[in-house]
Amino acid sequence: MQSARLIVKNFGPLKDVNIEVRDFLCLIGKQATGKSTIAKLIAIFEDENFRKYNELSFEKELEKYNMFNFFSNETEIIYLAGSYSFLYSKGRETKINLREFIKNNILKSFNNKNYLAKDFLEDFEALNKVDNNTFDNYQNSNFNKFNINFINTVFKKINVDKEDTITESILKQFLAYYDSLMFKYGIDVFFDSQYIPSERSFLHIIAENTLGLINNDVKIPKHLLEIGQEYEKALNVVKEIPLNLIDKKYSYKREGKSSYIYHNKEERTDLLQSASGLQSIIPIILLIEYAKTLKENYHFNYVVEEPELNIYPETQYELIKYLVKNIFDFKIKDYQRKKMVITTHSPYILASINNLLLAFEKGKKKPDEVNKIIKKESWINPDFFNVYELRNGKSYKIMNDSLSQIKSNIIDNVTDKFSNEFDKLLAL
Protein backbone atom coordinates (compact mmCIF):
# COMPACT_ATOMS: atom_id res chain seq x y z
CA MET A 1 0.00 0.00 0.00
CA GLN A 2 1.10 3.56 -0.60
CA SER A 3 2.03 5.62 2.42
CA ALA A 4 -0.52 8.17 3.61
CA ARG A 5 -0.28 11.50 5.41
CA LEU A 6 -2.30 12.39 8.52
CA ILE A 7 -2.47 15.99 9.69
CA VAL A 8 -4.38 16.87 12.87
CA LYS A 9 -4.73 20.25 14.56
CA ASN A 10 -6.59 21.03 17.79
CA PHE A 11 -8.47 17.78 18.22
CA GLY A 12 -8.65 16.40 21.74
CA PRO A 13 -5.10 15.92 23.08
CA LEU A 14 -3.61 16.58 19.62
CA LYS A 15 -2.50 20.14 18.93
CA ASP A 16 -0.26 19.88 15.86
CA VAL A 17 0.40 16.43 14.41
CA ASN A 18 1.80 15.60 10.98
CA ILE A 19 2.76 11.98 10.38
CA GLU A 20 3.52 9.68 7.48
CA VAL A 21 1.45 6.52 7.77
CA ARG A 22 3.39 3.65 6.28
CA ASP A 23 2.30 -0.01 6.22
CA PHE A 24 3.49 -0.47 9.81
CA LEU A 25 3.17 2.52 12.14
CA CYS A 26 4.19 2.51 15.79
CA LEU A 27 3.13 5.24 18.25
CA ILE A 28 4.74 5.59 21.67
CA GLY A 29 4.21 8.14 24.42
CA LYS A 30 2.99 8.68 27.94
CA GLN A 31 -0.64 8.31 28.95
CA ALA A 32 -3.12 10.78 27.41
CA THR A 33 -0.71 12.03 24.74
CA GLY A 34 -3.02 11.09 21.84
CA LYS A 35 -1.72 7.71 20.66
CA SER A 36 -5.15 6.09 20.65
CA THR A 37 -6.71 9.18 19.08
CA ILE A 38 -4.38 8.90 16.08
CA ALA A 39 -4.88 5.14 15.88
CA LYS A 40 -8.67 5.51 15.88
CA LEU A 41 -8.56 8.21 13.19
CA ILE A 42 -6.49 5.93 10.95
CA ALA A 43 -8.92 3.07 11.61
CA ILE A 44 -11.72 5.33 10.35
CA PHE A 45 -9.91 6.61 7.26
CA GLU A 46 -8.61 3.19 6.23
CA ASP A 47 -12.03 1.57 6.39
CA GLU A 48 -13.64 0.99 3.00
CA ASN A 49 -17.20 1.68 4.15
CA PHE A 50 -16.30 5.15 5.43
CA ARG A 51 -14.45 5.95 2.20
CA LYS A 52 -17.22 4.74 -0.04
CA TYR A 53 -20.45 5.88 1.59
CA ASN A 54 -21.04 9.60 2.07
CA GLU A 55 -23.90 8.88 4.46
CA LEU A 56 -21.31 7.57 6.94
CA SER A 57 -20.37 10.94 8.37
CA PHE A 58 -17.11 11.61 10.14
CA GLU A 59 -18.93 12.88 13.23
CA LYS A 60 -20.90 9.62 13.50
CA GLU A 61 -17.69 7.60 13.25
CA LEU A 62 -16.15 9.71 16.01
CA GLU A 63 -19.17 9.00 18.20
CA LYS A 64 -18.55 5.28 17.66
CA TYR A 65 -15.02 5.70 19.00
CA ASN A 66 -16.04 8.07 21.83
CA MET A 67 -14.18 11.03 20.30
CA PHE A 68 -17.00 13.35 19.30
CA ASN A 69 -16.32 15.77 22.17
CA PHE A 70 -12.73 16.27 20.95
CA PHE A 71 -13.85 18.92 18.45
CA SER A 72 -13.07 22.60 18.85
CA ASN A 73 -13.66 25.59 16.58
CA GLU A 74 -10.04 25.28 15.48
CA THR A 75 -10.12 21.57 14.58
CA GLU A 76 -8.55 20.59 11.24
CA ILE A 77 -8.06 16.97 10.18
CA ILE A 78 -6.63 15.94 6.82
CA TYR A 79 -5.86 12.48 5.46
CA LEU A 80 -4.15 12.04 2.08
CA ALA A 81 -3.75 8.52 0.70
CA GLY A 82 -3.05 8.44 -3.03
CA SER A 83 -6.49 7.85 -4.52
CA TYR A 84 -8.35 9.06 -1.45
CA SER A 85 -8.35 12.24 0.57
CA PHE A 86 -10.38 13.65 3.45
CA LEU A 87 -10.71 17.06 5.02
CA TYR A 88 -12.51 18.23 8.15
CA SER A 89 -12.38 21.95 8.86
CA LYS A 90 -14.81 24.41 10.45
CA GLY A 91 -17.57 21.85 10.74
CA ARG A 92 -17.34 20.78 7.10
CA GLU A 93 -16.09 17.46 5.78
CA THR A 94 -14.97 16.70 2.23
CA LYS A 95 -14.18 13.27 0.80
CA ILE A 96 -12.51 12.63 -2.54
CA ASN A 97 -12.59 8.99 -3.63
CA LEU A 98 -11.03 8.42 -7.05
CA ARG A 99 -12.67 5.06 -7.67
CA GLU A 100 -16.17 6.18 -6.76
CA PHE A 101 -15.85 9.44 -8.67
CA ILE A 102 -14.86 7.72 -11.90
CA LYS A 103 -17.38 4.91 -11.77
CA ASN A 104 -20.26 7.22 -10.88
CA ASN A 105 -19.50 10.37 -12.87
CA ILE A 106 -18.31 8.92 -16.14
CA LEU A 107 -21.44 6.75 -16.31
CA LYS A 108 -23.64 9.70 -15.33
CA SER A 109 -22.04 11.95 -17.96
CA PHE A 110 -22.28 9.42 -20.75
CA ASN A 111 -25.81 10.62 -21.57
CA ASN A 112 -24.27 13.86 -22.80
CA LYS A 113 -23.43 12.95 -26.41
CA ASN A 114 -20.92 15.79 -26.70
CA TYR A 115 -19.02 14.75 -23.56
CA LEU A 116 -15.33 14.82 -24.53
CA ALA A 117 -12.41 13.11 -22.84
CA LYS A 118 -11.00 16.55 -22.00
CA ASP A 119 -14.31 17.47 -20.31
CA PHE A 120 -13.92 14.50 -18.03
CA LEU A 121 -10.34 15.47 -17.17
CA GLU A 122 -11.44 19.05 -16.43
CA ASP A 123 -14.24 17.80 -14.20
CA PHE A 124 -11.84 15.60 -12.34
CA GLU A 125 -9.28 18.37 -11.86
CA ALA A 126 -12.01 20.66 -10.56
CA LEU A 127 -13.06 18.06 -8.04
CA ASN A 128 -9.53 17.88 -6.70
CA LYS A 129 -9.39 21.66 -6.15
CA VAL A 130 -11.33 21.92 -2.91
CA ASP A 131 -12.43 25.46 -2.10
CA ASN A 132 -10.53 25.68 1.15
CA ASN A 133 -7.18 27.39 1.57
CA THR A 134 -6.04 25.13 4.37
CA PHE A 135 -6.70 22.01 2.32
CA ASP A 136 -5.01 23.49 -0.74
CA ASN A 137 -1.89 24.10 1.33
CA TYR A 138 -1.68 20.48 2.41
CA GLN A 139 -2.92 18.78 -0.73
CA ASN A 140 0.48 18.54 -2.35
CA SER A 141 1.08 18.16 -6.07
CA ASN A 142 1.86 14.46 -5.72
CA PHE A 143 -1.78 13.69 -4.93
CA ASN A 144 -3.14 15.55 -7.98
CA LYS A 145 -0.31 14.33 -10.18
CA PHE A 146 -1.03 10.71 -9.27
CA ASN A 147 -4.74 11.05 -10.04
CA ILE A 148 -4.45 12.98 -13.31
CA ASN A 149 -1.66 10.74 -14.60
CA PHE A 150 -3.78 7.74 -13.70
CA ILE A 151 -6.68 8.92 -15.88
CA ASN A 152 -4.37 9.94 -18.74
CA THR A 153 -2.75 6.50 -18.63
CA VAL A 154 -6.12 4.86 -19.15
CA PHE A 155 -7.04 7.11 -22.10
CA LYS A 156 -3.62 6.60 -23.70
CA LYS A 157 -3.85 2.82 -23.35
CA ILE A 158 -7.17 2.70 -25.20
CA ASN A 159 -5.97 5.26 -27.82
CA VAL A 160 -8.31 8.07 -26.84
CA ASP A 161 -7.37 11.68 -27.55
CA LYS A 162 -8.59 14.52 -25.33
CA GLU A 163 -10.77 15.81 -28.19
CA ASP A 164 -12.51 12.47 -28.72
CA THR A 165 -16.15 12.05 -27.78
CA ILE A 166 -16.75 9.30 -25.22
CA THR A 167 -18.76 6.69 -27.13
CA GLU A 168 -20.26 3.53 -25.70
CA SER A 169 -17.31 1.55 -27.09
CA ILE A 170 -14.78 3.90 -25.49
CA LEU A 171 -16.69 3.79 -22.23
CA LYS A 172 -16.51 -0.02 -22.09
CA GLN A 173 -12.79 -0.03 -22.90
CA PHE A 174 -12.13 2.70 -20.38
CA LEU A 175 -13.91 0.93 -17.53
CA ALA A 176 -12.31 -2.44 -18.33
CA TYR A 177 -8.76 -1.08 -18.37
CA TYR A 178 -9.51 1.25 -15.48
CA ASP A 179 -10.58 -1.75 -13.36
CA SER A 180 -7.39 -3.65 -14.19
CA LEU A 181 -5.22 -0.67 -13.21
CA MET A 182 -7.20 -0.08 -10.04
CA PHE A 183 -6.52 -3.63 -8.97
CA LYS A 184 -2.84 -3.39 -9.94
CA TYR A 185 -2.31 -0.30 -7.79
CA GLY A 186 -4.44 -1.51 -4.90
CA ILE A 187 -7.16 1.10 -5.29
CA ASP A 188 -9.94 -1.39 -5.94
CA VAL A 189 -9.12 -3.69 -3.04
CA PHE A 190 -11.58 -3.45 -0.17
CA PHE A 191 -10.13 -3.01 3.29
CA ASP A 192 -11.85 -3.26 6.63
CA SER A 193 -10.34 -1.84 9.80
CA GLN A 194 -10.10 -4.01 12.88
CA TYR A 195 -9.52 -2.02 16.05
CA ILE A 196 -8.25 -4.34 18.79
CA PRO A 197 -8.59 -2.26 21.97
CA SER A 198 -6.63 -2.31 25.21
CA GLU A 199 -9.89 -3.49 26.85
CA ARG A 200 -9.73 -6.71 24.79
CA SER A 201 -9.93 -9.05 27.79
CA PHE A 202 -13.48 -7.66 28.09
CA LEU A 203 -14.36 -9.28 24.74
CA HIS A 204 -14.41 -12.75 26.22
CA ILE A 205 -16.76 -11.62 28.97
CA ILE A 206 -19.35 -10.31 26.49
CA ALA A 207 -18.85 -13.18 24.02
CA GLU A 208 -22.16 -14.73 22.91
CA ASN A 209 -24.03 -11.64 24.19
CA THR A 210 -22.82 -8.89 21.85
CA LEU A 211 -25.96 -8.78 19.72
CA GLY A 212 -28.14 -8.48 22.84
CA LEU A 213 -26.03 -5.60 24.10
CA ILE A 214 -26.42 -3.85 20.76
CA ASN A 215 -30.18 -4.43 20.56
CA ASN A 216 -30.70 -3.18 24.12
CA ASP A 217 -28.55 -0.10 23.46
CA VAL A 218 -26.32 -0.82 26.44
CA LYS A 219 -23.95 2.09 26.97
CA ILE A 220 -20.81 0.38 25.76
CA PRO A 221 -18.68 2.13 23.09
CA LYS A 222 -19.77 0.97 19.65
CA HIS A 223 -16.25 0.14 18.51
CA LEU A 224 -16.02 -2.38 21.37
CA LEU A 225 -19.32 -3.96 20.35
CA GLU A 226 -18.20 -4.15 16.70
CA ILE A 227 -14.95 -5.94 17.53
CA GLY A 228 -16.96 -8.05 19.98
CA GLN A 229 -19.03 -9.32 17.05
CA GLU A 230 -15.86 -10.20 15.13
CA TYR A 231 -14.52 -11.95 18.21
CA GLU A 232 -17.67 -14.08 18.44
CA LYS A 233 -17.16 -15.15 14.82
CA ALA A 234 -13.55 -16.03 15.62
CA LEU A 235 -14.65 -18.18 18.57
CA ASN A 236 -16.98 -20.12 16.29
CA VAL A 237 -14.40 -20.69 13.55
CA VAL A 238 -11.00 -21.02 15.24
CA LYS A 239 -11.16 -24.07 17.48
CA GLU A 240 -7.51 -24.66 18.29
CA ILE A 241 -4.25 -22.68 18.20
CA PRO A 242 -0.74 -23.59 19.36
CA LEU A 243 0.60 -20.88 21.68
CA ASN A 244 4.30 -21.27 20.89
CA LEU A 245 4.95 -17.57 21.40
CA ILE A 246 4.07 -18.08 25.08
CA ASP A 247 5.25 -21.64 25.71
CA LYS A 248 5.75 -24.56 23.32
CA LYS A 249 3.59 -26.75 25.56
CA TYR A 250 0.68 -24.29 25.60
CA SER A 251 -2.33 -24.33 23.29
CA TYR A 252 -5.75 -22.73 23.02
CA LYS A 253 -8.86 -24.87 22.47
CA ARG A 254 -12.53 -24.01 22.08
CA GLU A 255 -14.72 -26.78 23.43
CA GLY A 256 -18.46 -26.23 23.24
CA LYS A 257 -19.06 -22.70 24.50
CA SER A 258 -15.94 -22.57 26.66
CA SER A 259 -12.39 -21.56 25.85
CA TYR A 260 -9.47 -23.30 27.53
CA ILE A 261 -5.74 -22.83 27.83
CA TYR A 262 -4.01 -26.21 27.79
CA HIS A 263 -0.71 -26.17 29.69
CA ASN A 264 0.03 -29.67 28.42
CA LYS A 265 -2.06 -32.51 26.96
CA GLU A 266 -4.06 -33.02 30.17
CA GLU A 267 -4.00 -29.85 32.30
CA ARG A 268 -6.23 -27.01 31.27
CA THR A 269 -7.63 -23.72 32.64
CA ASP A 270 -10.74 -21.85 31.57
CA LEU A 271 -9.62 -18.73 29.73
CA LEU A 272 -11.64 -16.50 32.08
CA GLN A 273 -9.73 -17.97 35.04
CA SER A 274 -6.33 -17.91 33.38
CA ALA A 275 -3.53 -15.37 33.78
CA SER A 276 -4.29 -11.78 32.78
CA GLY A 277 -1.55 -11.92 30.15
CA LEU A 278 -3.28 -14.83 28.43
CA GLN A 279 -6.63 -13.02 28.54
CA SER A 280 -4.92 -10.06 26.87
CA ILE A 281 -3.04 -11.92 24.15
CA ILE A 282 -5.62 -14.55 23.12
CA PRO A 283 -8.11 -12.07 21.55
CA ILE A 284 -5.34 -10.66 19.33
CA ILE A 285 -4.31 -14.09 18.11
CA LEU A 286 -7.88 -15.34 17.64
CA LEU A 287 -8.91 -12.31 15.57
CA ILE A 288 -5.87 -12.58 13.31
CA GLU A 289 -6.20 -16.35 12.87
CA TYR A 290 -9.89 -15.88 12.02
CA ALA A 291 -9.09 -13.18 9.45
CA LYS A 292 -6.63 -15.54 7.77
CA THR A 293 -9.50 -17.94 7.08
CA LEU A 294 -11.20 -15.09 5.15
CA LYS A 295 -8.18 -13.95 3.16
CA GLU A 296 -9.83 -14.59 -0.20
CA ASN A 297 -12.58 -12.08 0.59
CA TYR A 298 -11.21 -9.64 3.16
CA HIS A 299 -8.12 -7.52 3.67
CA PHE A 300 -7.92 -6.21 7.22
CA ASN A 301 -6.05 -3.17 8.45
CA TYR A 302 -5.20 -3.67 12.10
CA VAL A 303 -4.95 -1.28 15.00
CA VAL A 304 -3.60 -2.97 18.13
CA GLU A 305 -3.61 -0.96 21.33
CA GLU A 306 -0.83 -1.74 23.79
CA PRO A 307 0.11 -5.25 22.64
CA GLU A 308 2.40 -5.48 25.68
CA LEU A 309 -0.47 -5.49 28.20
CA ASN A 310 0.20 -7.88 31.09
CA ILE A 311 2.82 -9.91 29.25
CA TYR A 312 6.49 -10.58 29.96
CA PRO A 313 9.10 -8.70 27.86
CA GLU A 314 10.20 -11.87 26.07
CA THR A 315 6.59 -12.60 25.14
CA GLN A 316 6.20 -9.03 23.89
CA TYR A 317 9.03 -9.73 21.46
CA GLU A 318 7.46 -13.01 20.31
CA LEU A 319 4.10 -11.27 19.84
CA ILE A 320 5.64 -8.61 17.59
CA LYS A 321 7.26 -11.38 15.52
CA TYR A 322 3.87 -13.10 15.28
CA LEU A 323 2.08 -9.91 14.19
CA VAL A 324 4.62 -9.14 11.46
CA LYS A 325 4.64 -12.73 10.23
CA ASN A 326 0.86 -13.04 10.06
CA ILE A 327 -0.15 -9.58 8.86
CA PHE A 328 2.58 -8.56 6.44
CA ASP A 329 4.33 -10.06 3.48
CA PHE A 330 6.72 -7.41 2.22
CA LYS A 331 7.72 -9.49 -0.80
CA ILE A 332 4.32 -9.21 -2.45
CA LYS A 333 2.89 -6.32 -4.41
CA ASP A 334 1.67 -3.13 -2.79
CA TYR A 335 -2.01 -3.84 -3.32
CA GLN A 336 -1.85 -7.06 -1.30
CA ARG A 337 -0.21 -5.51 1.74
CA LYS A 338 -2.13 -4.42 4.80
CA LYS A 339 -1.58 -1.68 7.36
CA MET A 340 -0.95 -2.14 11.06
CA VAL A 341 -0.84 0.53 13.73
CA ILE A 342 0.28 -0.27 17.25
CA THR A 343 0.22 2.04 20.25
CA THR A 344 2.58 1.29 23.10
CA HIS A 345 4.16 2.44 26.36
CA SER A 346 6.82 -0.25 26.21
CA PRO A 347 10.47 0.34 25.27
CA TYR A 348 10.66 -3.46 24.89
CA ILE A 349 8.30 -3.21 21.92
CA LEU A 350 10.61 -0.67 20.28
CA ALA A 351 13.68 -2.81 21.01
CA SER A 352 11.88 -5.80 19.49
CA ILE A 353 11.07 -3.86 16.32
CA ASN A 354 14.69 -2.68 16.06
CA ASN A 355 15.88 -6.29 16.05
CA LEU A 356 13.49 -7.14 13.22
CA LEU A 357 14.53 -4.04 11.25
CA LEU A 358 18.18 -4.99 11.67
CA ALA A 359 17.44 -8.56 10.61
CA PHE A 360 16.05 -7.25 7.31
CA GLU A 361 19.14 -5.12 6.68
CA LYS A 362 21.60 -7.87 7.60
CA GLY A 363 19.53 -10.38 5.66
CA LYS A 364 20.30 -8.57 2.40
CA LYS A 365 23.86 -9.96 2.48
CA LYS A 366 23.56 -12.99 4.76
CA PRO A 367 19.97 -14.25 4.48
CA ASP A 368 20.64 -17.83 5.58
CA GLU A 369 22.68 -16.86 8.63
CA VAL A 370 20.12 -14.24 9.73
CA ASN A 371 17.24 -16.65 9.15
CA LYS A 372 18.79 -19.03 11.69
CA ILE A 373 18.59 -16.27 14.31
CA ILE A 374 15.26 -14.66 13.31
CA LYS A 375 12.91 -16.30 10.80
CA LYS A 376 12.67 -14.33 7.58
CA GLU A 377 8.88 -13.97 7.77
CA SER A 378 9.31 -11.71 10.82
CA TRP A 379 11.86 -9.32 9.31
CA ILE A 380 10.63 -5.73 8.93
CA ASN A 381 11.44 -3.80 5.77
CA PRO A 382 12.31 -0.27 7.04
CA ASP A 383 10.84 1.25 3.87
CA PHE A 384 7.40 0.26 5.13
CA PHE A 385 7.84 1.18 8.80
CA ASN A 386 7.56 4.44 10.71
CA VAL A 387 7.49 5.40 14.39
CA TYR A 388 6.52 8.57 16.26
CA GLU A 389 6.63 9.74 19.84
CA LEU A 390 3.61 11.75 21.00
CA ARG A 391 4.47 14.54 23.41
CA ASN A 392 2.73 17.80 24.41
CA GLY A 393 0.13 17.44 21.66
CA LYS A 394 2.74 17.05 18.92
CA SER A 395 4.31 14.19 16.98
CA TYR A 396 8.06 13.60 16.76
CA LYS A 397 9.49 11.11 14.30
CA ILE A 398 11.99 8.90 16.12
CA MET A 399 12.98 6.71 13.17
CA ASN A 400 16.53 7.14 11.92
CA ASP A 401 15.99 6.39 8.23
CA SER A 402 19.70 6.42 7.39
CA LEU A 403 20.40 3.68 9.97
CA SER A 404 17.02 1.93 9.51
CA GLN A 405 16.62 1.93 13.29
CA ILE A 406 14.46 3.57 15.93
CA LYS A 407 16.54 6.20 17.71
CA SER A 408 18.11 4.57 20.75
CA ASN A 409 17.54 7.51 23.12
CA ILE A 410 13.79 6.81 23.32
CA ILE A 411 14.57 3.22 24.34
CA ASP A 412 17.37 4.12 26.76
CA ASN A 413 15.84 7.15 28.52
CA VAL A 414 13.70 5.14 30.94
CA THR A 415 16.59 2.86 31.90
CA ASP A 416 18.88 5.87 32.34
CA LYS A 417 16.45 7.48 34.79
CA PHE A 418 16.29 4.32 36.88
CA SER A 419 20.07 3.98 36.79
CA ASN A 420 20.66 7.60 37.83
CA GLU A 421 18.41 7.24 40.86
CA PHE A 422 20.05 3.93 41.76
CA ASP A 423 23.51 5.54 41.57
CA LYS A 424 22.39 8.42 43.82
CA LEU A 425 21.05 5.96 46.40
CA LEU A 426 24.31 3.98 46.35
CA ALA A 427 26.29 7.19 46.92
CA LEU A 428 24.43 7.99 50.15
Side-chain angles (χ1 to χ4, degrees):
M1 294 179 67
Q2 293 186 330
S3 65
R5 175 70 58 180
L6 175 66
I7 298 157
V8 185
K9 294 181 183 294
N10 304 309
F11 181 72
L14 305 175
K15 304 306 176 190
D16 188 5
V17 165
N18 187 329
I19 64 176
E20 181 187 3
V21 183
R22 298 182 188 173
D23 295 65
F24 183 2
L25 174 68
C26 180
L27 304 169
I28 190 168
K30 294 181 179 180
Q31 298 85 350
T33 52
K35 302 182 300 298
S36 293
T37 302
I38 291 175
K40 289 172 180 175
L41 288 173
I42 294 171
I44 292 170
F45 297 138
E46 287 292 337
D47 188 80
E48 184 64 27
N49 285 334
F50 177 73
R51 290 187 176 200
K52 184 174 182 178
Y53 299 112
N54 287 328
E55 59 268 26
L56 286 181
S57 74
F58 184 48
E59 293 183 357
K60 284 290 185 184
E61 290 297 291
L62 293 178
E63 283 182 3
K64 182 173 80 176
Y65 285 97
N66 274 7
M67 297 194 297
F68 183 77
N69 60 352
F70 286 6
F71 283 119
S72 75
N73 293 331
E74 307 300 319
T75 295
E76 293 177 1
I77 301 174
I78 296 169
Y79 194 71
L80 303 174
S83 66
Y84 173 81
S85 64
F86 174 86
L87 162 71
Y88 185 95
S89 180
K90 297 179 181 177
R92 170 190 170 196
E93 65 178 85
T94 303
K95 296 181 189 178
I96 299 175
N97 188 323
L98 173 62
R99 172 164 41 81
E100 293 307 309
F101 170 79
I102 292 176
K103 290 222 170 178
N104 292 332
N105 284 349
I106 197 169
L107 289 169
K108 189 186 300 181
S109 302
F110 178 63
N111 291 328
N112 179 352
K113 295 188 177 181
N114 295 318
Y115 193 63
L116 305 179
K118 70 175 182 180
D119 296 329
F120 173 73
L121 288 169
E122 287 173 3
D123 287 349
F124 184 69
E125 285 195 80
L127 182 70
N128 276 308
K129 293 177 181 177
V130 179
D131 185 21
N132 183 287
N133 291 331
T134 302
F135 195 47
D136 288 340
N137 289 337
Y138 287 121
Q139 193 174 8
N140 57 44
S141 60
N142 288 336
F143 178 75
N144 283 323
K145 186 178 179 181
F146 170 83
N147 291 339
I148 299 302
N149 284 349
F150 192 91
I151 305 303
N152 277 318
T153 298
V154 179
F155 280 128
K156 184 176 180 181
K157 180 68 178 179
I158 62 175
N159 298 315
V160 172
D161 185 79
K162 290 183 179 181
E163 299 297 327
D164 288 341
T165 301
I166 299 179
T167 64
E168 184 175 359
S169 173
I170 287 175
L171 179 62
K172 288 180 179 178
Q173 292 178 63
F174 181 97
L175 291 177
Y177 188 65
Y178 156 80
D179 281 339
S180 69
L181 273 186
M182 287 297 219
F183 182 76
K184 178 180 178 181
Y185 290 107
I187 300 167
D188 211 20
V189 175
F190 295 105
F191 284 87
D192 288 324
S193 291
Q194 279 212 345
Y195 194 92
I196 306 178
S198 57
E199 305 96 331
R200 53 188 167 269
S201 57
F202 172 71
L203 299 180
H204 202 71
I205 297 172
I206 66 170
E208 311 293 342
N209 297 305
T210 310
L211 187 59
L213 293 171
I214 294 171
N215 290 337
N216 289 295
D217 197 25
V218 177
K219 300 303 179 184
I220 296 174
K222 289 183 179 179
H223 71 282
L224 292 181
L225 294 175
E226 282 192 3
I227 197 64
Q229 288 183 298
E230 291 301 309
Y231 186 65
E232 282 187 14
K233 295 175 187 175
L235 289 174
N236 291 323
V237 172
V238 182
K239 299 299 183 182
E240 186 171 352
I241 312 169
L243 299 175
N244 295 336
L245 75 169
I246 298 170
D247 189 302
K248 290 184 178 179
K249 295 179 182 178
Y250 280 30
S251 63
Y252 163 88
K253 291 184 182 180
R254 181 72 172 174
E255 298 174 357
K257 291 193 174 184
S258 297
S259 294
Y260 295 99
I261 303 299
Y262 275 79
H263 303 277
N264 51 50
K265 291 183 178 180
E266 291 81 27
E267 297 179 11
R268 70 180 190 181
T269 306
D270 189 294
L271 179 58
L272 285 173
Q273 298 171 359
S274 64
S276 57
L278 288 165
Q279 294 187 45
S280 175
I281 204 171
I282 291 298
I284 298 174
I285 298 172
L286 271 177
L287 285 163
I288 289 174
E289 293 298 323
Y290 169 64
K292 286 162 62 177
T293 70
L294 306 172
K295 63 182 178 181
E296 298 303 320
N297 301 308
Y298 291 90
H299 293 73
F300 287 111
N301 293 310
Y302 291 93
V303 174
V304 184
E305 275 196 310
E306 301 174 36
E308 72 273 9
L309 274 179
N310 304 320
I311 59 175
Y312 192 65
E314 184 180 350
T315 308
Q316 294 179 32
Y317 185 24
E318 294 303 317
L319 178 58
I320 294 299
K321 288 181 183 177
Y322 169 85
L323 291 172
V324 174
K325 173 184 175 181
N326 287 279
I327 292 176
F328 299 117
D329 186 345
F330 294 122
K331 301 186 298 298
I332 60 180
K333 295 179 180 178
D334 284 359
Y335 68 80
Q336 293 172 310
R337 288 205 307 271
K338 305 169 182 67
K339 274 187 168 62
M340 178 172 70
V341 180
I342 63 173
T343 68
T344 184
H345 297 123
S346 173
Y348 295 114
I349 293 291
L350 300 190
S352 300
I353 291 171
N354 259 354
N355 274 19
L356 304 183
L357 289 164
L358 183 59
F360 182 92
E361 291 299 310
K362 292 291 185 180
K364 291 177 181 178
K365 294 183 178 179
K366 298 181 178 181
D368 294 336
E369 292 90 331
V370 176
N371 189 59
K372 290 177 182 177
I373 302 170
I374 298 174
K375 294 298 180 184
K376 189 173 184 178
E377 58 263 29
S378 291
W379 300 355
I380 298 175
N381 184 337
D383 291 341
F384 306 121
F385 174 76
N386 216 348
V387 56
Y388 289 83
E389 180 187 8
L390 277 296
R391 182 166 19 101
N392 300 323
K394 296 184 178 182
S395 56
Y396 300 89
K397 183 173 178 176
I398 55 172
M399 181 70 182
N400 187 325
D401 288 322
S402 62
L403 296 177
S404 299
Q405 288 278 282
I406 301 170
K407 295 175 182 177
S408 60
N409 63 310
I410 189 68
I411 299 174
D412 296 337
N413 280 349
V414 176
T415 306
D416 289 345
K417 183 177 180 180
F418 293 161
S419 297
N420 288 338
E421 289 185 350
F422 185 78
D423 290 342
K424 289 177 181 177
L425 290 171
L426 282 180
L428 292 177

